[in-house]
Amino acid sequence: MDKGPSAADGASGFGLIVIGDEVLNGPRTDAHLPFFRQLLAARGHCLAWHWLLPDDPEVLTGQLRISLGLGVPVFVCGGIGATPDDHTRACAAAAAGLDLVRHPGARALIEGRFGATAYPHRILMADLPAGCDLIPNPHNQIPGFSLRGHWFLPGFPQMAWPMAQWVLGHYQGSAEPLREAALEVLGVPESELIPLMLALGSRFHGIKPFSLPHIGADPHILLGLRGRCDLGPAMAALRAGLAAAGMDCREQSALYPTCHHGDSTR
């Protein structure tokens, strides 16, 4: 079974590829990005990157070749149907240097679903990269497939999302949630915070300092820390560093809630 590059327990940064001209340049909005962000965060994972790609075989093959070489787990949504604008199955095979072959398990599922009307067109959805594994589709039994840590799903959310949940339950463990805490720093340019951020990043392993300027009627800099551990000691050091430098700060505004479990956004 293709377990992918990050099957062991622990936090993973996932890629997300959404494919479709109707999303890139058409009337549909990408609903996958917010869903996968929340789905992964609930298990202590996160998104490392997000690509939105057209229904173009040359572009898809090139980009999939890149992502297959990155060694990170990737969800791919869209383009695995049987119509002429569905190129993902063939492009995944080409990107991996594999033949596109009729998968016997997928053939059986499609024949079981559609009978004689599976031919001549619907059966094309059983043509998959050689050696791939199937991902069950509870909506209509037409499977997705997994290949080298990439999980290829339909573009329809009502199909893709439960399939993604199945993937995470079978291939990926959970991790400590990503925690975040921050203060609002007043009256100083962002550049003056750099030495403190560097010092905190060096002192506290696994914790990432961040800053986010806010302009307008209430200018300030949101200065904080992210990590999968107790942020208390590092936040104490942050407060002490600001006090030692004579910089004013206040507690984080309710407009920018701290994200303790990855299920909130600023």
Side-chain angles (χ1 to χ4, degrees):
M1 179 177 290
D2 174 26
K3 294 187 177 182
S6 300
D9 286 356
S12 297
F14 284 70
L16 174 63
I17 300 175
V18 179
I19 297 169
D21 290 340
E22 71 280 2
V23 181
L24 183 62
N25 291 305
R28 291 190 178 179
T29 300
D30 178 16
H32 292 300
L33 177 59
F35 172 81
F36 276 92
R37 185 164 50 206
Q38 293 182 8
L39 176 69
L40 293 169
R43 290 175 171 265
H45 305 302
C46 63
L47 280 175
W49 47 264
H50 168 230
W51 296 346
L52 183 56
L53 302 179
D55 294 308
D56 181 302
E58 184 175 352
V59 172
L60 291 180
T61 300
Q63 294 302 113
L64 287 173
R65 187 175 292 121
I66 292 171
S67 67
L68 285 166
L70 292 177
V72 301
V74 179
F75 283 107
V76 185
C77 300
I80 64 172
T83 58
D85 59 340
D86 288 320
H87 304 292
T88 302
R89 293 175 289 103
C91 292
L98 299 170
D99 292 329
L100 193 70
V101 300
R102 187 146 296 177
H103 192 291
R107 180 185 63 201
L109 287 167
I110 294 170
E111 289 177 344
R113 168 76 173 172
F114 297 108
T117 64
Y119 293 87
H121 301 302
R122 290 182 172 119
I123 197 63
L124 296 175
M125 292 184 286
D127 293 345
L128 303 174
C132 71
D133 294 318
L134 299 184
I135 300 171
N137 181 344
H139 183 81
N140 64 5
Q141 288 72 59
I142 300 175
F145 64 96
S146 64
L147 177 70
R148 299 182 186 175
H150 284 49
W151 296 289
F152 292 85
L153 310 175
F156 296 104
Q158 62 266 42
M159 299 183 193
W161 295 356
M163 295 169 74
Q165 291 170 329
W166 182 91
V167 165
L168 289 175
H170 283 73
Y171 290 117
Q172 293 286 328
S174 296
E176 283 294 317
L178 184 65
R179 296 176 172 88
E180 177 180 305
L183 300 169
E184 295 176 1
V185 182
L186 310 173
V188 298
E190 191 177 25
S191 60
E192 292 189 16
L193 300 175
I194 293 174
L196 178 58
M197 295 175 69
L198 290 173
L200 291 170
S202 298
R203 179 178 171 186
F204 295 96
H205 177 71
I207 289 179
K208 182 178 180 180
F210 68 88
S211 66
L212 182 62
H214 292 265
I215 59 177
D218 179 27
H220 62 271
I221 298 171
L222 192 68
L223 179 64
L225 305 166
R226 294 189 184 100
R228 300 181 187 276
C229 57
D230 179 10
L231 299 180
M235 282 299 295
L238 172 60
R239 293 175 188 276
L242 290 173
M247 297 179 181
D248 292 332
C249 67
R250 67 190 180 198
E251 295 304 312
Q252 188 176 10
S253 168
L255 294 176
Y256 309 102
T258 299
C259 176
H260 289 290
H261 296 284
D263 54 1
S264 303
T265 56
R266 288 192 302 272

